[in-house]
Amino acid sequence: MTNISIKTVTASQCDDNSVSVQPLTLRRFGIELRRMVSADKEAVRIGRNKDFVRNNHVYREIISEEAQDKWFEEMNRKEHYVLIISYKGKSIGVVILKDIPENIESSTCGAFIWDEEYIATKIPILSVLMALDFAYYTCGVKWMESVVLKHNIAAIKMNKFFGFTFHERDQDSFLITMDRASYVQQRERLNWFAKRAVKNPDEHELHNDAYNRRRMRRDDRIVAKQVPDMQRQIARAQRGKSQSGAER
């Protein structure tokens, strides 16, 4: 579909400060974006090697199992997000957010659908919308740019719909750009489209499992800190009652 380059403020909002890769699952519009694991490698490789997918990328060679293993090893780090798009329990494509480490402002992103049943539906648009919201609002992205091949009519239409500005790059491709302020201006229109496309209002809310886990850990820390204070208060109150009883 398209490759997107991101400039970001910080990644501390996206992932924990730990070195290891943290699980991430976003759910909205009946769609799930979840962080890729090793078991997904072959499905992604087969999907990426389909003619109608690879011919819409700058790199069009067939990807071997060895190359896929090396790519996954490189991508399986906390600063990268390879998000499997799942719909109705079926994996149909990926959205990739790359290079979002803390204090480094340049990054890249890409997305593609390998299931032909869903290419001409609203699912790709809604999936990218979820990823854009995550990038701009959760990760603090300030700027996005992408290279889109001129023969990729579907990607051109989709990115114009999202509000990207097109610039001539070379005879085969466009450079497209959008800053955060422009995205925020487009967000109400995009959200209106999503709500019309997905009738169930319960599916309009974004569910971020990683955020919920961090919030639970934060709440646990708060409770752990409060318990000793509460115990000291109870002990003081009990001592006060004992003294009062002795005086009476």
Side-chain angles (χ1 to χ4, degrees):
M1 293 170 66
T2 182
N3 295 325
I4 302 173
S5 171
I6 298 174
K7 296 185 181 298
T8 180
V9 180
T10 174
S12 60
Q13 296 169 296
C14 305
D15 216 338
D16 291 336
N17 292 326
S18 59
V19 176
S20 62
V21 171
Q22 300 297 312
L24 173 71
T25 302
L26 307 174
R27 295 185 183 91
R28 195 179 187 192
F29 311 131
I31 300 167
E32 179 181 275
L33 301 184
R34 62 170 179 81
R35 210 164 198 168
M36 179 180 172
V37 296
S38 181
D40 299 308
K41 287 189 298 184
E42 186 62 9
V44 173
R45 186 183 77 88
I46 292 172
R48 177 62 172 78
N49 280 339
K50 289 186 175 182
D51 290 344
F52 69 90
V53 174
R54 63 186 180 88
N55 287 336
N56 282 322
H57 284 74
V58 174
Y59 182 80
R60 301 181 183 128
E61 301 299 321
I62 295 291
I63 298 171
S64 66
E65 291 184 22
E66 292 77 14
Q68 182 76 346
D69 288 341
K70 182 179 179 181
W71 174 80
F72 178 75
E73 184 177 350
E74 293 172 351
M75 295 297 296
N76 194 33
R77 300 202 304 266
K78 58 172 287 187
E79 63 266 29
H80 306 312
Y81 294 85
V82 182
L83 302 174
I84 303 293
I85 303 170
S86 295
Y87 184 65
K88 295 184 176 179
K90 185 179 182 181
S91 298
I92 65 171
V94 295
V95 181
I96 304 171
L97 301 172
K98 289 178 57 180
D99 303 325
I100 314 182
E102 191 169 3
N103 298 326
I104 296 180
E105 293 196 359
S106 63
S107 181
T108 59
C109 170
F112 60 87
I113 301 291
W114 63 65
D115 192 320
E116 293 182 87
E117 180 182 354
Y118 295 100
I119 288 179
T121 69
K122 296 173 182 177
I123 301 304
I125 293 177
L126 295 173
S127 300
V128 173
L129 176 60
M130 290 171 63
L132 290 176
D133 275 356
F134 177 73
Y136 277 119
Y137 289 110
T138 303
C139 298
V141 169
K142 294 191 295 185
W143 176 269
M144 286 190 180
E145 64 181 29
S146 175
V147 175
V148 178
L149 297 180
K150 291 182 177 179
H151 72 255
N152 192 351
I153 304 302
I156 291 172
K157 289 182 178 179
M158 185 183 70
N159 286 293
K160 285 184 176 180
F161 172 77
F162 279 116
F164 282 90
T165 301
F166 281 67
H167 313 273
E168 193 75 21
R169 180 175 178 266
D170 56 36
Q171 63 180 6
D172 297 319
S173 62
F174 294 109
L175 173 70
I176 64 172
T177 61
M178 181 165 59
D179 60 22
R180 186 179 188 277
S182 298
Y183 182 72
V184 170
Q185 290 178 348
Q186 301 285 338
R187 188 62 185 80
E188 185 175 351
R189 175 182 62 83
L190 296 172
N191 198 46
W192 177 84
F193 165 83
K195 288 181 177 181
R196 282 181 61 99
V198 180
K199 303 301 182 184
N200 185 355
D202 293 337
E203 295 180 349
H204 295 168
E205 183 179 353
L206 175 66
H207 299 275
N208 183 340
D209 286 1
Y211 169 78
N212 291 336
R213 281 192 295 272
R214 286 197 296 272
R215 184 173 62 182
M216 290 171 64
R217 288 197 295 270
R218 180 201 63 190
D219 292 344
D220 289 344
R221 288 194 296 269
I222 293 173
V223 170
K225 183 179 179 181
Q226 290 175 343
V227 166
D229 294 336
M230 294 171 63
Q231 291 173 336
R232 284 193 292 269
Q233 291 173 5
I234 292 171
R236 284 197 297 268
Q238 290 174 339
R239 286 197 299 271
K241 288 181 180 180
S242 299
Q243 291 175 356
S244 297
E247 292 173 358
R248 288 195 295 268

